[in-house]
Amino acid sequence: MASRLFTNLTTAGLGLALVGGVVNSALYNVDGGYRAVIFDRFTGVKPNVVGEGTHFLIPWIQKPIIFDIRSRPRSVAVTTGSKDLQNVNITLRILFRPITENLPRMYTSLGVDYDERVLPSITNEVLKAVVAQFDAGELITQREVVSQRVSEELTERASQFGLILDDISLTHLTFGREFTAAVELKQVAQQEAEKARFLVEKAEQQKRATVISAEGDTQAASLLAKAFGESGDALVELRRIEAAEDIATLLSRSRNVSYLPSGQNVLLNLPQV
């Protein structure tokens, strides 16, 4: 009887374990920021998209395929040619996410790695088409226009595959070695030209200053000659004043100086000739 009881308990335990396994295999979770598409072995991919939470399915017949619907970054590097046949290296950074309602169709046509199949090809196509409309100089000076046009055309192209592009930005733009060297030589030539122009302007300013100074000296000499012509003693008086200024300057710098009253200024009371 004990053996029969043990057998019944073992059978009941196995039954419970089997039921628990079936129940566990019939449940699946969809985390936040994710969606699920159900694949049925008999009917194929179901058109409904399963949201977040815990859900039931038919074990061994149905299988959930989980998709990340959050925005994800991706960088795509493209080498193309400009309007003036210059090689251009461009790197585009894209923030993308799938359109939730289109997940069943995307899984059927593209698979889970839809971004690997779509983004590189359409980015390459759009960048080559847009960059070919600008020459190398315009790609630098009109970068915002180029970025805007790429964003518009790439967004429209991605929507055909069920993708939403939240942000598109040009993070890297360089040219070939020949063009870069030519730009550097042009910059050096411009700097040399600016330096030469500065030297010419400086020489012109110095020339004008010399001319103005000479004109001033000429005018001063003319005024002195006129003043001396009107008064014969003017030159002697000027020399006396200059001598007095020099003597006063020397005495002011000396520590051992004796000052006389103003009425006893013997230095300036020179005999009149």
Side-chain angles (χ1 to χ4, degrees), residues 1 9 64-65 71 140 149 169 221 244 260:
M1 183 173 181
L9 290 175
I65 295 93
S71 293
I140 299 175
R149 189 168 298 180
S169 58
L260 298 175

Side-chain angles (χ1 to χ4, degrees), residues 6-225:
F6 177 77
T7 303
N8 292 337
L9 290 175
T10 303
T11 304
L14 292 175
L16 290 175
L18 180 61
V19 171
V22 172
V23 171
N24 288 333
S25 62
L27 297 176
Y28 67 96
N29 295 322
V30 179
D31 297 330
Y34 292 83
R35 294 293 184 270
V37 173
I38 301 301
F39 171 76
D40 192 291
R41 296 181 183 275
F42 298 106
T43 61
V45 178
K46 291 185 174 298
N48 299 327
V49 177
V50 182
E52 302 167 0
T54 301
H55 306 276
F56 291 94
L57 53 73
I58 303 174
W60 305 293
I61 296 178
Q62 294 178 339
K63 179 180 70 172
I65 295 93
I66 307 298
F67 283 88
D68 187 352
I69 63 169
R70 298 171 297 182
S71 293
R72 291 181 291 162
R74 184 182 179 89
S75 295
V76 180
V78 176
T79 300
T80 182
S82 62
K83 186 177 180 180
D84 53 351
L85 304 180
Q86 298 293 336
N87 290 329
V88 185
N89 301 314
I90 299 180
T91 301
L92 202 64
R93 183 180 182 274
I94 305 170
L95 277 178
F96 70 96
R97 57 187 172 91
I99 299 176
T100 305
E101 296 77 10
N102 293 346
L103 287 177
R105 183 173 63 86
M106 291 177 61
Y107 177 71
T108 302
S109 59
L110 300 173
V112 178
D113 57 342
Y114 57 89
D115 55 319
E116 292 287 346
R117 299 174 182 268
V118 173
L119 289 178
S121 59
I122 64 174
T123 302
N124 194 9
E125 173 189 353
V126 170
L127 278 178
K128 288 187 175 181
V130 173
V131 171
Q133 302 174 16
F134 299 87
D135 57 34
E138 291 174 343
L139 290 174
I140 299 175
T141 59
Q142 303 182 23
R143 182 164 179 163
E144 293 183 1
V145 177
V146 176
S147 179
Q148 181 65 26
R149 189 168 298 180
V150 169
S151 178
E152 293 175 355
E153 296 190 11
L154 190 58
T155 299
E156 181 180 358
R157 192 81 173 86
S159 64
Q160 301 175 5
F161 295 91
L163 294 178
I164 298 175
L165 304 184
D166 294 323
D167 182 69
I168 301 172
S169 58
L170 294 174
T171 58
H172 184 71
L173 192 152
T174 58
F175 299 91
R177 295 182 178 178
E178 295 79 6
F179 180 78
T180 303
V183 171
E184 292 178 354
L185 291 176
K186 182 178 179 181
Q187 292 293 329
V188 172
Q190 289 179 349
Q191 292 175 0
E192 292 293 336
E194 289 292 333
K195 181 179 180 181
R197 186 174 67 178
F198 171 76
L199 293 176
V200 171
E201 292 180 353
K202 182 179 179 181
E204 289 290 336
Q205 294 295 332
Q206 292 177 346
K207 179 180 177 181
R208 292 177 184 177
T210 303
V211 171
I212 293 173
S213 178
E215 292 177 351
D217 293 341
T218 302
Q219 186 176 4
S222 177
L223 293 175
L224 288 174

Side-chain angles (χ1 to χ4, degrees), residues 226-240:
K226 183 178 179 181
F228 295 157
E230 294 177 354
S231 176
D233 298 334
L235 181 60
V236 176
E237 185 67 22
L238 177 62
R239 294 293 180 257
R240 287 177 64 248

Side-chain angles (χ1 to χ4, degrees), residues 256-267:
N256 301 321
V257 177
S258 299
Y259 294 94
L260 298 175
S262 60
Q264 302 296 326
N265 190 353
V266 296
L267 294 177

